[in-house]
Amino acid sequence: MDSLTSLSAFVRTAETLSFVQAAQLLGISASAVGKNVARLEQQLGVRLFNRSTRSVSLTAEGALLLARTRPILEQLRDVEAEITQAVAHPSGKLHVSLPVVGYRLITPLLPQFHQLYPDVELDFDFSDRLVNVIDEGFDVAIRSGEMQDSRLQARTLGPFRFVLCASPDYLAARGAPSVSADLAQHHCIFFRFPATGLIQHWELADLRVTGDFQPAKSLTLNNIEAMVQSTLAGMGISYIPDFVVREVLEQGKLVEVLPGSCVRESGFSAIWPGRYLSPRVRCFIDFLAEHWPVPRCQ
């Protein structure tokens, strides 16, 4: 970077044949221009300018260096202008991985994002499998839980909690559990992680329901939307993220079971490969962080 600064000072001085005018163009002092040129001369081991009290002129070595470096610096200025334009107006395709249930959180935000960034083309891949962000070429992934790959960077978007819920018809037929231990007498709907095949644990204040738990009857699914529909159909009690069932709980189509007993909280994060963000990735992540749905008070 010091060499680039020195080259810029040299080129401006060579173009104007004035340290003062070069300083005005670069926005620095004339003495700073002189020091940068002197540093470059020392590095190259040649004199680049003939200096007198009245004039400045190029040496043969200086003329050669100007002819070689001016096109390079012009290209760098063009690149800088393009990058500045890209930052101001992000564009291009953005390949994003999300869990299937992510559509509930993302799709309401898309009209506003499109209005702000019309030249960013979103390509969403909804899947509950654990994708390899780097190897599969994703620009961003939205995931819950802890990040496992140290090659990825992350930014927290928002929290959520789990709730136990059932349909009014199921509770009318089977009764509502009054304590966690009563779940053994009920029909339970379990979630199996597609990536690992493991059953999701129910983290309750006084009970941890694992894959070994034996309720009166069980149904196991590996899709959260199927869990919602099965719960609505009266198939049993499910343990599910609150944002997934918030609307049907408010509508009374589902009822929270053992309120306050679920102790597990989690959150969504945006993850991406590498330390540096392209403008289209940065605008997307910044937008999500600003507009991510705020959990409602419970």
Side-chain angles (χ1 to χ4, degrees):
M1 188 59 68
D2 287 342
S3 296
L4 184 58
T5 301
S6 296
L7 280 173
S8 297
F10 161 74
V11 170
R12 288 304 190 191
T13 303
E15 290 173 339
T16 61
L17 294 178
S18 168
F19 287 95
V20 173
Q21 290 184 40
Q24 291 174 346
L25 291 172
L26 294 170
I28 58 177
S29 66
S31 63
V33 173
K35 289 178 181 177
N36 278 308
V37 171
R39 185 182 301 114
L40 184 59
E41 289 178 323
Q42 184 178 13
Q43 289 174 344
L44 297 175
V46 297
R47 189 159 48 90
L48 300 173
F49 291 102
N50 295 310
R51 302 169 176 84
S52 70
T53 55
R54 294 185 177 182
S55 65
V56 175
S57 62
L58 283 166
T59 64
E61 293 80 6
L64 176 61
L65 183 62
L66 177 63
R68 295 294 181 87
T69 58
R70 178 189 278 169
I72 296 173
L73 288 177
E74 287 177 351
Q75 290 179 16
L76 287 174
R77 293 188 192 111
D78 289 343
V79 170
E80 181 181 9
E82 289 179 13
I83 292 175
T84 300
Q85 177 71 10
V87 171
H89 302 286
S91 62
K93 179 173 286 190
L94 196 62
H95 198 195
V96 185
S97 170
L98 307 96
V100 171
V101 75
Y103 82 89
R104 293 176 175 268
L105 298 168
I106 292 291
T107 51
L109 305 178
L110 295 185
Q112 186 177 0
F113 179 82
H114 179 69
Q115 185 176 15
L116 291 172
Y117 305 103
D119 296 326
V120 176
E121 181 182 349
L122 295 172
D123 182 355
F124 285 163
D125 182 275
F126 291 95
S127 174
D128 286 330
R129 69 183 180 86
L130 193 61
V131 302
N132 188 310
V133 177
I134 296 175
D135 292 347
E136 297 183 43
F138 286 102
D139 297 300
V140 186
I142 309 300
R143 283 292 179 263
S144 61
E146 298 294 326
M147 183 177 63
Q148 303 297 326
D149 194 332
S150 61
R151 297 173 299 171
L152 300 175
Q153 306 296 314
R155 182 171 179 181
T156 300
L157 298 177
F160 64 89
R161 71 180 184 93
F162 284 80
V163 294
L164 288 172
C165 56
S167 71
D169 288 344
Y170 172 85
L171 296 176
R174 303 279 308 179
S178 56
V179 294
S180 299
D182 291 345
L183 291 171
Q185 310 305 317
H186 281 268
H187 298 178
C188 295
I189 304 174
F190 296 116
F191 178 76
R192 185 187 301 278
F193 292 102
T196 64
L198 299 176
I199 301 296
Q200 183 175 51
H201 297 164
W202 295 12
E203 305 290 348
L204 309 179
D206 55 356
L207 180 67
R208 190 169 189 260
V209 176
T210 68
D212 296 328
F213 184 77
Q214 296 295 324
K217 192 172 184 179
S218 67
L219 171 65
T220 303
L221 304 165
N222 68 351
N223 179 278
I224 291 183
E225 294 299 336
M227 287 185 68
V228 174
Q229 294 304 315
S230 297
T231 310
L232 286 168
M235 298 294 292
I237 299 173
S238 62
Y239 177 83
I240 201 161
D242 61 349
F243 69 89
V244 176
V245 291
R246 182 176 295 132
E247 185 176 347
V248 288
L249 284 171
E250 291 175 348
Q251 294 171 349
K253 295 179 180 179
L254 290 181
V255 178
E256 185 171 358
V257 174
L258 298 173
S261 64
C262 297
V263 296
R264 186 186 173 199
E265 294 185 354
S266 188
F268 282 103
S269 296
I271 60 177
W272 66 92
R275 297 179 58 187
Y276 302 103
L277 294 172
S278 68
R280 65 182 181 276
V281 174
R282 181 178 296 279
C283 76
F284 182 69
I285 293 175
D286 287 346
F287 176 85
L288 291 184
E290 181 180 356
H291 296 90
W292 197 259
V294 177
R296 302 181 188 181
C297 297
Q298 303 295 331

